[in-house]
């Protein structure tokens, strides 16, 4: 593999890492299934709780079951992609998850009591107070290039730091 092909493969895989969390936080969570191969899987192996979703339908159902009113932002860093062959790669990437449940959907209430429907990011009229991340961990990914498109073949979650998800206003 020449250096330019390797660089393009690395960039495509890095983009998948970022697109995954963007879809969870800002898009349609079930659509992350489109980023996986047909037989792809996501897992949280022991010492995690052993959850595993395999295949696009199961992945869409799992990620689509996100609780209503959950507001989250994931911060990705230290994305290290290693191209292992012309159609395969691996990656390790670190993340922090900031999350709150029972969020009002970001609709801000104005001083006149009307709701503007805009993406305010607050709960009842303002920004939520920042708290510590509820999760800090990393992903171990495997990628495959199929028909010229890089996709996730597998994603394993490693979570050394985690806690309960707080609720808005509580």
């Amino acid at each position: 593999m020449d250096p330019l092909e390797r660089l393009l493969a690395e960039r495509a895989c890095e983009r998948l890492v970022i697109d995954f969390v963007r879809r969870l936080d800002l898009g349609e969570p079930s659509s992350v299934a489109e980023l996986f191969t047909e037989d792809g899987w996501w897992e949280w192996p022991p010492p995690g709780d052993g959850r595993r979703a395999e295949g696009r339908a199961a992945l869409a159902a799992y990620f689509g079951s996100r609780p209503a009113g959950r507001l989250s932002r994931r911060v990705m860093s230290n994305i290290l992609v290693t191209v292992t062959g012309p159609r395969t790669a691996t990656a390790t990437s670190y993340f922090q998850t900031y999350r709150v449940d029972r969020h009002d959907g970001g609709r801000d209430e104005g001083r006149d009591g009307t709701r503007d429907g805009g993406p305010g990011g607050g709960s009842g009229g303002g920004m939520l107070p920042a708290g510590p991340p509820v999760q800090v961990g990393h992903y171990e990914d495997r990628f495959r290039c199929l028909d010229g498109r890089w996709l996730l073949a597998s994603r394993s979650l490693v979570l050394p730091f985690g806690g309960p998800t707080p609720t808005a206003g509580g």
Side-chain angles (χ1 to χ4, degrees):
M1 178 176 263
D2 74 38
L4 181 57
E5 288 173 326
R6 180 175 302 278
L7 184 64
L8 291 172
E10 289 172 353
R11 180 64 187 118
C13 293
E14 289 171 358
R15 188 167 177 86
L16 282 169
V17 168
I18 299 300
D19 196 15
F20 182 93
V21 297
R22 183 193 59 81
R23 289 177 185 221
L24 287 179
D25 291 341
L26 301 175
E28 178 58 42
S30 63
S31 74
V32 301
E34 299 166 8
L35 305 176
F36 284 83
T37 60
E38 287 290 338
D39 61 347
W41 50 266
W42 173 95
E43 70 175 355
W44 186 11
D49 68 4
R51 276 183 270 177
R52 183 178 171 110
E54 189 166 348
R56 283 191 180 150
L59 289 160
Y62 175 75
F63 289 108
S65 68
R66 175 188 171 109
R70 174 164 283 175
L71 173 68
S72 64
R73 294 295 183 270
R74 289 163 182 82
V75 179
M76 300 299 300
S77 65
N78 303 354
I79 302 169
L80 179 61
V81 175
T82 303
V83 176
T84 57
R87 292 187 175 88
T88 58
T90 62
T92 300
S93 56
Y94 288 60
F95 69 89
Q96 298 176 42
T97 303
Y98 297 85
R99 182 170 62 208
V100 66
D101 283 341
R102 295 189 189 158
H103 183 258
D104 71 358
R107 299 189 185 284
D108 289 333
E109 189 170 313
R111 291 186 183 153
D112 62 357
T114 61
R115 298 179 76 75
D116 69 5
S123 180
M127 190 180 328
L128 292 173
V134 296
Q135 296 177 328
V136 178
H138 72 274
Y139 292 118
E140 295 289 338
D141 296 326
R142 287 185 317 111
F143 303 92
R144 284 200 319 251
C145 185
L146 301 171
D147 298 323
R149 182 177 177 219
W150 285 91
L151 296 166
L152 281 158
S154 67
R155 169 162 272 195
S156 292
L157 168 71
V158 180
L159 192 62
F161 304 100
T165 298
T167 57

